[in-house]
């Protein structure tokens, strides 16, 4: 979406974009490589977004001990450690350099 707008000259922002961590998106990104200062420096694509746990305010952040006001709750792990490792070190290609 960002690139479509930039190609059409309709993108006036400068944006640092993260790629979602699903396999099809990651595979396409790794083949293409990081994108730096595209469209006159308006678009940068060179990182991956992973969400490991929930948010602290909603008591979803994963803690080692239960929340002080919610004794049975230690939060939510939304991405397994194995998946995080797979994305972090298991990919190779131009974007990982």
């Amino acid at each position: 979406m960002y690139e479509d707008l930039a190609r059409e000259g309709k993108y006036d922002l400068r944006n640092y974009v993260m790629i979602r961590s699903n396999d099809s998106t990651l595979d396409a990104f790794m083949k293409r490589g990081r994108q730096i200062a595209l469209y006159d420096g308006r678009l940068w694509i060179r990182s991956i977004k992973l969400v490991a746990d929930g948010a602290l305010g909603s008591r979803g952040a994963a803690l080692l001990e239960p929340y002080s006001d919610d004794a049975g709750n230690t939060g939510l792990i939304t991405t397994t450690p194995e998946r995080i490792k797979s994305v972090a070190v298991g990919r190779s290609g131009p974007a990982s350099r």
Side-chain angles (χ1 to χ4, degrees), residues 15 17 27 61-62 64-65 67-68 80 85 87 92-93 95:
N15 222 359
V17 179
D27 290 343
L64 297 174
E65 301 285 331
Y67 282 83
S68 62
T80 66
K85 184 176 180 179
V87 171
S92 62

Side-chain angles (χ1 to χ4, degrees), residues 15-19 29 33-37 43-49 95-97:
N15 222 359
Y16 184 89
V17 179
M18 296 181 184
I19 299 300
F29 175 69
R34 61 186 164 199
Q35 305 292 295
I36 299 173
L43 188 61
W44 300 67
I45 309 169
R46 60 179 191 174
S47 60
I48 298 167
K49 174 80 173 187
S96 63
R97 292 186 182 81

Side-chain angles (χ1 to χ4, degrees), residues 36-71:
I36 299 173
L38 301 175
Y39 310 103
D40 197 27
R42 298 201 179 281
L43 188 61
W44 300 67
I45 309 169
R46 60 179 191 174
S47 60
I48 298 167
K49 174 80 173 187
L50 281 169
V51 178
D53 62 353
L56 189 58
S58 63
R59 295 182 190 85
L63 303 178
L64 297 174
E65 301 285 331
Y67 282 83
S68 62
D69 59 349
D70 191 356

